[in-house]
């Protein structure tokens, strides 16, 4: 039974980063610049894919979806982090914390499965090029995105329900820069061992299964690439795969470490660095790795801005 005099927190304090007063303005400037570049890069990719009919292919459909997810993913956390760096007030209402946690998880889980879907797209493009457009039809691509979204919504709901069913009666200081499940669970006034098991099981389904699928697919892709006789063809295929593998590693590995280790072994400072890696740095680098160095995207940019004439 609940004790009569027990009180529950109505807001949390986000401690953010341990910085000296002289370092805070520098960090604010760095994160503000990164956030603006994330908005610019991912926003530009999304607009170009929408406007240029040559980019209306399954690969760019998935890249555009990834850019939208990255925009939402970072906007869920970075503006609040910037506001807290710029002011003394670092509180967040309990309800806002729950909402931030849920939205962040929805977008993160969806993105994790999207990477697996993108590896399937690359497999079909490299191993079955003549049937690529038939297999990767608009209906199938749409169904894959819906699957990713539904998995994200369901998994995030389970994560959030199990985290918020626990009592939080103080202290209310979260040693993180946003309301992430592992950091919030440390403030619970109850045993969190059940949550550790749930997090591990869900982490298996939303991170390890997609990663395993990606690994199996890429083993088959690399075997197919080795059969290509043209060195140029091999290099082009390897380049496409390397971009995807880099992005997946940058996002999934830190997330796996964060969500699948027991809460008792979590280090707040390490968790913040991991969160920055898969939340901010990954979203910043994705447009560069995937698209901004791509000839099709450059051609689309010149065409849309009328700075040059796209070759026919």
């Amino acid at each position: 039974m609940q004790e009569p005099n027990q009180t529950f927190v109505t807001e949390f304090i986000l401690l953010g980063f341990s910085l000296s007063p002289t370092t805070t303005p520098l960090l604010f400037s760095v994160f503000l610049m990164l956030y603006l570049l994330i908005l610019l890069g991912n926003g530009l990719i999304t607009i170009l894919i929408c406007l240029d009919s040559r980019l209306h292919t399954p690969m760019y459909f998935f890249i555009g979806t990834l850019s939208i997810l990255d925009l939402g993913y970072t906007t869920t956390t970075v503006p609040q982090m910037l506001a807290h760096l710029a002011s003394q007030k670092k509180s967040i209402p309990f309800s806002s914390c729950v909402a931030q946690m849920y939205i962040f998880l929805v977008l993160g889980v969806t993105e994790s499965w999207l990477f697996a879907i993108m590896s399937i797209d690359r497999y079909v493009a490299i191993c079955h090029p003549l049937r690529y457009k038939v297999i990767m039809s608009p209906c199938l691509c749409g169904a894959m995105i819906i699957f990713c979204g539904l998995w994200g919504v369901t998994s995030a709901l389970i994560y959030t329900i199990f985290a918020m069913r626990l009592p939080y009666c103080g202290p209310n200081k979260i040693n993180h820069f946003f309301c992430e499940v592992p950091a919030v669970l440390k403030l619970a006034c109850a045993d969190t061992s059940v949550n550790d098991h749930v997090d591990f099981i869900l982490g298996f389904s939303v991170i390890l299964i997609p990663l395993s699928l990606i690994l199996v697919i890429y083993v088959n892709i690399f075997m197919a690439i080795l059969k290509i006789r043209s060195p140029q063809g091999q290099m082009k295929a390897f380049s496409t795969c390397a971009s995807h593998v880099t992005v997946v590693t940058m996002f999934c590995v830190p997330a796996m470490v964060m969500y699948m280790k027991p809460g008792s072994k979590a280090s707040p400072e390490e968790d913040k660095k991991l969160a920055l890696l898969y939340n901010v740095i990954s979203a910043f680098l994705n447009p560069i790795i995937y698209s901004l160095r791509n000839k099709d995207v450059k051609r689309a940019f010149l065409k849309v801005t009328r700075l040059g004439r796209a070759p026919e």
Side-chain angles (χ1 to χ4, degrees):
M1 291 182 63
Q2 180 178 312
E3 296 179 10
N5 295 328
Q6 190 175 26
T7 58
F8 295 92
V9 299
T10 57
E11 67 175 17
F12 291 108
I13 307 295
L14 292 168
L15 297 181
F17 301 94
S18 303
L19 301 168
S20 64
T22 55
T23 311
T24 300
L26 176 61
L27 194 66
F28 176 86
S29 302
V30 170
F31 283 131
L32 177 60
M33 183 61 65
L34 279 174
Y35 182 58
L36 293 176
L37 289 173
I38 288 170
L39 294 180
L40 177 63
N42 288 285
L44 181 62
I45 293 300
T46 305
I47 293 170
L48 290 178
I49 291 173
C50 291
L51 295 180
D52 196 321
S53 58
R54 295 184 183 184
L55 300 182
H56 293 176
T57 64
M59 182 181 78
Y60 286 108
F61 173 67
F62 293 131
I63 289 176
T65 304
L66 177 65
S67 293
I68 293 171
L69 288 174
D70 282 339
L71 286 171
Y73 203 53
T74 50
T75 301
T76 305
T77 59
V78 178
Q80 177 191 259
M81 177 178 65
L82 292 172
H84 287 177
L85 284 171
S87 67
Q88 296 297 320
K89 186 179 180 182
K90 303 181 186 297
S91 61
I92 178 172
F94 186 89
S95 58
S96 298
C97 184
V98 175
Q100 184 185 57
M101 184 188 301
Y102 178 71
I103 295 170
F104 182 82
L105 286 169
V106 168
L107 297 172
V109 173
T110 302
E111 187 162 324
S112 178
W113 271 99
L114 178 63
F115 287 131
I117 298 301
M118 293 173 78
S119 69
I120 295 174
D121 173 71
R122 291 298 83 208
Y123 170 78
V124 177
I126 293 172
C127 299
H128 304 282
L130 299 179
R131 300 178 57 203
Y132 176 64
K133 290 185 178 180
V134 176
I135 296 174
M136 299 302 293
S137 64
C139 290
L140 179 61
C141 293
M144 286 177 166
I145 295 299
I146 291 172
F147 165 79
C148 294
L150 289 176
W151 199 287
V153 168
T154 305
S155 300
L157 188 61
I158 296 172
Y159 264 119
T160 307
I161 288 175
F162 270 87
M164 305 321 294
R165 72 182 178 84
L166 298 171
Y168 294 89
C169 46
N172 67 336
K173 294 181 179 179
I174 301 175
N175 195 359
H176 211 304
F177 60 89
F178 72 100
C179 291
E180 192 163 29
V181 173
V184 174
L185 286 178
K186 293 178 182 179
L187 304 182
C189 306
D191 180 32
T192 61
S193 57
V194 174
N195 293 76
D196 288 339
H197 293 306
V198 170
D199 289 352
F200 183 84
I201 293 170
L202 284 175
F204 188 85
S205 68
V206 304
I207 299 176
L208 279 184
I209 291 179
L211 272 178
S212 300
L213 180 61
I214 291 169
L215 180 61
V216 170
I217 289 172
Y218 269 102
V219 168
N220 286 276
I221 288 176
F222 289 140
M223 290 176 64
I225 291 175
L226 293 176
K227 296 177 182 178
I228 299 175
R229 295 183 179 181
S230 167
Q232 291 182 340
Q234 285 186 341
M235 286 300 297
K236 185 177 179 180
F238 270 122
S239 176
T240 304
C241 295
S243 299
H244 187 242
V245 170
T246 301
V247 172
V248 168
T249 303
M250 232 172 11
F251 178 87
C252 290
V253 173
M256 181 173 63
V257 173
M258 171 76 80
Y259 282 90
M260 296 192 69
K261 65 183 176 182
S264 58
K265 296 183 179 180
S267 166
E269 297 307 317
E270 288 182 6
D271 286 352
K272 293 175 195 176
K273 293 174 184 176
L274 289 171
L276 280 176
L277 189 60
Y278 65 75
N279 179 213
V280 180
I281 305 302
S282 175
F284 168 68
L285 292 177
N286 280 352
I288 300 172
I289 295 173
Y290 265 126
S291 303
L292 296 183
R293 66 190 185 108
N294 185 294
K295 291 181 179 179
D296 293 334
V297 176
K298 290 179 180 177
R299 187 188 299 119
F301 177 77
L302 293 174
K303 179 182 176 181
V304 169
T305 57
R306 302 184 186 279
L307 293 177
R309 179 175 294 178
E312 298 297 331

